[in-house]
Amino acid sequence: MAPKPWADEPFALLETPSKTMDKSSHYAIVVASEMTHSHNVLIRGLNSIYQQAPLVKNPQDVEDLLFYCQAWVMMVHHHHETEEETLFPDLEEFTQKPGIMAGNQAQHNAFHDGMEKFSEYAKNTKPDEYKWDEMKAVIDAFAPSLYTHLREEIQTLLDLRQYDSDGVKTVWGKTEDAAKGGKHPHLFEMIMPCVMGNVDKTYEGGIHKEFPPWPFFIPYAVHYWFARSHTGAWRFCPSDFWGNPRPLTFQ
């Protein structure tokens, strides 16, 4: 019997640079690897929607799915807002190269409107109006551009090896602090459960168990507090909040 599909398809997960490259040789490899982990979280979330949404029929399940879709969009936006507000300008200042991330910024713009349409669909669609074919068309309009960006940005970060390693480390430290900041109004209620539920601690043989770089108690806080108000939505996550993969709920 063929294995049931999981959140590693239809969009293939990205290989982490540190799987084949020495992280100690330059901090850009650390940055590119951490970004790959983050991008794979976004990809798993997209795949988990793609795999399960066609099978959801019950009105309550549909309501939970649409909330999960909203959380996923917020997660993607939070990730890219952190890049645009912190990482990109800091890299320009550090490298003294205006526009060094302009190509990545342009890629953000390429899928922005499509993701906004997806967000509006998830917010405004009533459970009895939901049709997978309609939602699939909305996703298909932006997903290829998003995936291209997620894949190609890793090489842009690896190219930072031509600059001072400690300087790259400093820039990345500020970006990590910004990503963990509490400015987003739905950071704890929606974004953090979506992030934690799309981590896979077993990926690439379990060599990346340090991701995400959060204190040990965060999964407990998410499970027992932050995720309590929308427990039905987190059924669509492909992992538990400790990063352990599990079978998709709707298969």
Side-chain angles (χ1 to χ4, degrees), residues 157-190:
L157 296 174
L158 286 173
D159 290 343
L160 295 173
R161 285 174 290 175
Q162 63 187 289
Y163 300 100
D164 176 65
S165 181
D166 287 340
V168 173
K169 182 177 181 179
T170 298
V171 169
W172 184 246
K174 290 177 62 178
T175 300
E176 286 193 317
D177 290 343
K180 291 182 283 189
K183 291 192 301 180
H184 196 288
H186 299 289
L187 179 66
F188 299 107
E189 173 197 11
M190 299 178 75

Side-chain angles (χ1 to χ4, degrees), residues 81-95:
E81 286 167 3
T82 302
E83 290 182 339
E84 293 179 3
E85 295 173 5
T86 305
L87 179 62
F88 291 0
D90 285 357
L91 281 175
E92 284 197 353
E93 182 179 357
F94 164 64
T95 62

Side-chain angles (χ1 to χ4, degrees), residues 14-116:
L14 309 177
E15 181 177 281
T16 310
S18 60
K19 182 181 178 183
T20 57
M21 304 173 72
D22 180 9
K23 290 194 294 185
S24 66
S25 64
H26 198 288
Y27 207 80
I29 299 172
V30 176
V31 172
S33 298
E34 290 293 304
M35 189 66 79
T36 300
H37 296 324
S38 296
H39 287 186
N40 279 338
V41 165
L42 307 185
I43 293 169
R44 290 188 196 99
L46 178 59
N47 284 340
S48 66
I49 294 169
Y50 222 96
Q51 292 289 354
Q52 297 180 93
L55 306 175
V56 177
K57 308 296 181 185
N58 179 278
Q60 184 58 59
D61 294 337
V62 172
E63 184 176 327
D64 291 338
L65 168 67
L66 294 173
F67 185 89
Y68 181 68
C69 292
Q70 292 179 56
W72 179 81
V73 171
M74 286 185 185
M75 177 173 67
V76 177
H77 280 331
H78 179 64
H79 176 81
H80 289 137
E81 286 167 3
T82 302
E83 290 182 339
E84 293 179 3
E85 295 173 5
T86 305
L87 179 62
F88 291 0
D90 285 357
L91 281 175
E92 284 197 353
E93 182 179 357
F94 164 64
T95 62
Q96 294 296 296
K97 285 198 171 183
I100 188 173
M101 304 302 289
N104 300 90
Q105 177 69 61
Q107 289 179 335
H108 285 189
N109 295 336
F111 58 76
H112 178 271
D113 290 349
M115 284 198 63
E116 285 301 303

